Amino acid sequence: MTRRKSDHPIPEKPEPPFPIVTDFCDIVCGFGRGSAELGIPTANVPIEQLPKSVNDLKLGVYFGYAKIKPVEHEVGTVTRSDGRDVRIDYARDLKKDSGDLSILPVVLSVGKNPFYGNDFKTVELHIIHNFKDDFYGAKVKFNILGYIRPELDYTTKEALIEDIHIDITTALKALESRDFSVYQSQLKDQELSSR
Ligand SMILES: Cc1cc2nc3c(=O)[nH]c(=O)nc-3n(C[C@H](O)[C@H](O)[C@H](O)COP(=O)(O)O)c2cc1C
C-alpha cells in the first residue's frame, strides 16, 4: 500500500480522542467542487452541529463510518454561492436495497482546503459508496476513528485527487481490522443495538 511522508501511522485500535461520535446533523451545500471538479462528492456538515471534540481536532483527514437518514420533506431548491441552483431532495431517492442507507466507511476532511484557499474551516465527508443520487437536506450521523494525515496544499488538482484516493484505500484497509470495524455498531439504530 502507498505510504506517503505525510501519513500518520494508524494505530491498532482507536486511540483518544477517538472514537468520536456525532448526532445526526444536516447535510448542507458546499461549493460543489468536490463532485464537479474532483469527481469525489462530499457532504458538508455545519460545524456548529458537531461535538466540541470535532472542533478541537487539528486540520486534516480522518476516517470512520457514516450513516444517512432521509428526511420527509418536499423537494426544494437553493441557490449556491456560485449562483447555481441545487436541488434539495432530502435523500428521497436513496435506496435501502443498494446499501445507500447502510453504515458506510467514510473519509473526512476537517480543514480550510488550502488548494482552494478557503478562509474558514469546513467539515466534509466523502462516504465511500457508489450513490446514484444526491442527498442534500438529509441527515448524517458519523464517527471518527482515526487520523490519516494533515491537510496539504497542491499544485495540481490531479495530485489532490490522487491523495484522496490514497486516503480512501488507507481508510478501507484500517477498517478491515476488527478493532476498528466493531465501531460500526455505534451508528446502529437504538432499537437494533440494544441487546
Ligand atoms: C478525504 C479528503 C481529503 C482532502 N484533503 C484535502 C487537502 O489535503 N487539501 C485541500 O486543499 N483539500 C482537501 N480536501 C477538500 C477538497 O478540496 C474539497 O472536498 C473540495 O474543495 C470540494 O469542496 P466543495 O464541495 O465544498 O466545493 C479533502 C477532501 C476529502 C474528502
Side-chain angles (χ1 to χ4, degrees), residues 69-193:
K69 185 165 76 174
V71 169
E72 292 232 357
H73 200 287
E74 273 173 40
V75 173
T77 312
V78 295
T79 306
R80 214 165 50 193
S81 52
D82 61 359
R84 239 197 73 192
D85 284 343
V86 179
R87 184 173 184 263
I88 308 293
D89 65 8
Y90 302 93
R92 63 188 289 149
D93 296 327
L94 295 193
K95 307 246 174 343
K96 210 172 174 180
D97 296 353
S98 316
D100 297 344
L101 306 178
S102 303
I103 299 167
L104 297 164
V106 68
V107 275
L108 56 138
S109 147
V110 177
K112 294 188 172 176
N113 302 354
F115 181 67
Y116 287 104
N118 291 357
D119 54 7
F120 52 90
K121 187 164 89 173
T122 57
V123 175
E124 297 176 45
L125 287 79
H126 170 68
I127 302 177
I128 308 170
H129 178 72
N130 186 14
F131 291 99
K132 302 275 187 302
D133 286 288
D134 286 338
F135 40 81
Y136 290 122
K139 301 267 183 193
V140 65
K141 182 181 171 94
F142 60 98
N143 60 16
I144 308 180
L145 303 177
Y147 171 66
I148 298 179
R149 64 171 173 92
E151 69 168 351
L152 302 170
D153 199 357
Y154 294 87
T155 48
T156 65
K157 188 176 75 179
E158 288 69 28
L160 169 60
I161 295 171
E162 191 186 336
D163 255 3
I164 298 178
H165 283 292
I166 296 173
D167 297 331
I168 293 170
T169 310
T170 302
L172 292 176
K173 180 85 196 139
L175 294 173
E176 276 175 16
S177 147
R178 187 161 161 71
D179 289 322
F180 282 101
S181 66
V182 74
Y183 289 93
Q184 247 182 322
S185 63
Q186 273 193 320
L187 304 185
K188 274 191 183 157
D189 295 335
Q190 237 120 42
E191 313 88 291
L192 297 176
S193 62

